[in-house]
Amino acid sequence: MSTTVTLINVFTAKPGKQQELAKTLAEGTRNFFSKQPGSLSSSVVVGGDGSKVANISQWRSAEDIAAFRSDPRFGEYMKSIVELAAGESMMGHTTYSHTGGVEN
């Protein structure tokens, strides 16, 4: 059986900071997220309203997310996000899959 945890963080950028926030999140994805054990994928999506930026990441497990967030560099990364964002909402989803078989 395999497990995938999808984490969706939606940030509301401070006025005039949407593009800078998107760039900061994208750099974090390239330089930090993707190098973490358990990271499967991550992408940044810019909303058409001029304020929302979403970071969608997939991980092998919730434990991998917890380990990532305990990395000493995570605090500095979040400080750079807080400077640009006025708020954040978060949603998680876990998917389980397994290979089916026939029992005799």
Side-chain angles (χ1 to χ4, degrees):
M1 181 165 74
S2 64
T3 304
T4 303
V5 178
T6 301
L7 184 61
I8 303 170
N9 298 84
V10 179
F11 298 91
T12 301
K14 292 179 180 175
K17 300 292 186 179
Q18 184 188 36
Q19 292 303 313
E20 189 176 352
L21 176 58
K23 181 180 175 189
T24 300
L25 288 167
E27 287 172 355
T29 293
R30 277 191 301 279
N31 300 327
F32 190 47
F33 284 120
S34 64
K35 295 175 177 30
Q36 296 297 309
S39 173
L40 301 174
S41 69
S42 186
S43 59
V44 176
V45 180
V46 177
D49 67 349
S51 69
K52 300 289 189 272
V53 181
N55 184 15
I56 304 163
S57 57
Q58 291 187 309
W59 301 81
R60 283 186 312 212
S61 70
E63 290 80 14
D64 289 324
I65 295 170
F68 156 67
R69 289 185 170 202
S70 67
D71 185 302
R73 297 170 294 172
F74 183 71
E76 287 300 315
Y77 171 71
M78 284 309 298
K79 279 184 191 177
S80 66
I81 300 301
V82 169
E83 291 174 3
L84 303 169
E88 173 190 17
S89 61
M90 190 178 353
M91 177 175 46
H93 177 75
T94 304
T95 303
Y96 302 95
S97 65
H98 61 84
T99 304
V102 176
E103 291 185 28
N104 293 332

